[in-house]
Amino acid sequence: MSDQDYHVSGLMIHNIQAQRFCVFDVEATGLNHETEHIIQIGAVIIEHQQIQQAKVFKTNIKSPKPIPAAIERFTGIYNADIEDAPPLQVIYKDFVEFTKDSILVTHAGYEFDLPLLHQECSRNRLQMLDSPCLDIKALFSYLHPEISDILFMDYLIQYYNVADTNIRRHDALGDSVLTGRILLKMLDEMAERNIEHVQFAQPVTVKRYQVKPLL
């Protein structure tokens, strides 16, 4: 691992086309998973090769620290929005139940969402999710080892020609839907390439985000 990239190995998903996926995203008070707190969780279910519009999860979460103004502008989530929201300890069991029997899917989750969620679970004495998790950045790098770009969401949207004009960005549910649309394009690509199983037998190299401070 380095400041520029990291490696993923040991991931194995058999019969990927037949799996049930829970795509999720979190928004937080900042970009450092060690010191910041979750303010919103969003998730959608994908099964039978479709985003299940009736199976969505979204909640604001009351944070023990205020949302900085830069994060309010970036996410559109304001301190007033979380003032009466439930704390993570109250809502977490509902989120865990929503993810049940699914493979978790994220975008950049190996770098941010999962470490942050793990930290929050540790702080609040909650059980960390134990389902396998697939980051679409790692999956894309697995499918396209010849591409060395940083896999921002916009890069993947353009690569797969994913519709995004009706999505609110930097919203946990909106970003979950976008990630789900990208995953479906990847599943189509894997079907065309006759890839039935995903197996990171050799370490897959993924470029890290180079995060710039929000002003």
Side-chain angles (χ1 to χ4, degrees):
M1 298 177 66
S2 72
D3 292 339
Q4 287 75 43
D5 54 37
Y6 60 93
H7 305 292
V8 182
S9 61
L11 182 67
M12 203 172 357
I13 301 174
H14 289 288
N15 301 316
I16 192 166
Q17 302 291 341
Q19 298 299 324
R20 183 180 194 265
F21 302 96
C22 177
V23 188
F24 81 96
D25 180 71
V26 303
E27 301 297 331
T29 52
L31 303 176
N32 186 337
H33 66 263
E34 294 182 352
T35 58
E36 303 303 334
H37 295 268
I38 295 173
I39 56 174
Q40 190 180 78
I41 299 177
V44 296
I45 297 297
I46 292 178
E47 53 188 348
H48 310 305
Q49 313 298 315
Q50 290 184 334
I51 295 175
Q52 302 299 311
Q53 303 292 342
K55 297 179 181 179
V56 300
F57 181 94
K58 181 179 179 180
T59 183
N60 289 338
I61 294 172
K62 188 175 182 64
S63 165
K65 65 185 290 186
I67 307 171
I71 298 296
E72 287 183 314
R73 292 191 297 269
F74 183 70
T75 63
I77 305 167
Y78 292 85
N79 282 290
D81 297 323
I82 67 169
E83 185 175 350
D84 296 321
L88 182 65
Q89 303 96 306
V90 171
I91 203 67
Y92 185 70
K93 64 181 183 299
D94 295 330
F95 175 58
V96 172
E97 181 64 24
F98 186 81
T99 70
K100 193 175 179 181
D101 301 323
S102 302
I103 292 173
L104 301 173
V105 178
T106 67
H107 174 259
Y110 293 165
E111 298 169 60
F112 181 70
D113 302 72
L114 288 176
L116 175 60
L117 190 58
H118 190 278
Q119 185 77 295
E120 288 279 49
C121 286
S122 178
R123 290 174 185 139
N124 294 286
R125 297 182 180 179
L126 300 169
Q127 178 84 30
M128 179 60 184
L129 297 173
D130 58 4
S131 301
C133 185
L134 178 63
D135 190 322
I136 62 169
K137 286 182 65 179
L139 180 58
F140 186 87
S141 297
Y142 169 78
L143 295 173
H144 297 280
E146 75 282 1
I147 295 178
S148 60
D149 300 69
I150 297 176
L151 302 174
F152 293 104
M153 181 78 83
D154 287 339
Y155 180 97
L156 296 173
I157 288 170
Q158 293 174 15
Y159 185 93
Y160 286 109
N161 193 26
V162 171
D164 69 333
T165 55
N166 63 337
I167 295 293
R168 178 182 165 188
R169 300 289 298 273
H170 310 303
D171 168 86
L173 181 56
D175 284 347
S176 294
V177 171
L178 266 182
T179 300
R181 290 177 181 177
I182 294 167
L183 175 65
L184 289 172
K185 294 281 190 177
M186 290 179 162
L187 291 174
D188 288 343
E189 178 184 357
M190 283 185 279
E192 291 172 3
R193 293 170 57 179
N194 295 315
I195 299 173
E196 297 180 15
H197 315 296
V198 171
Q199 184 172 4
F200 290 16
Q202 300 297 323
V204 174
T205 301
V206 185
K207 289 285 185 181
R208 289 184 183 277
Y209 279 154
Q210 301 303 311
V211 179
K212 297 180 180 178
L214 297 174
L215 300 177

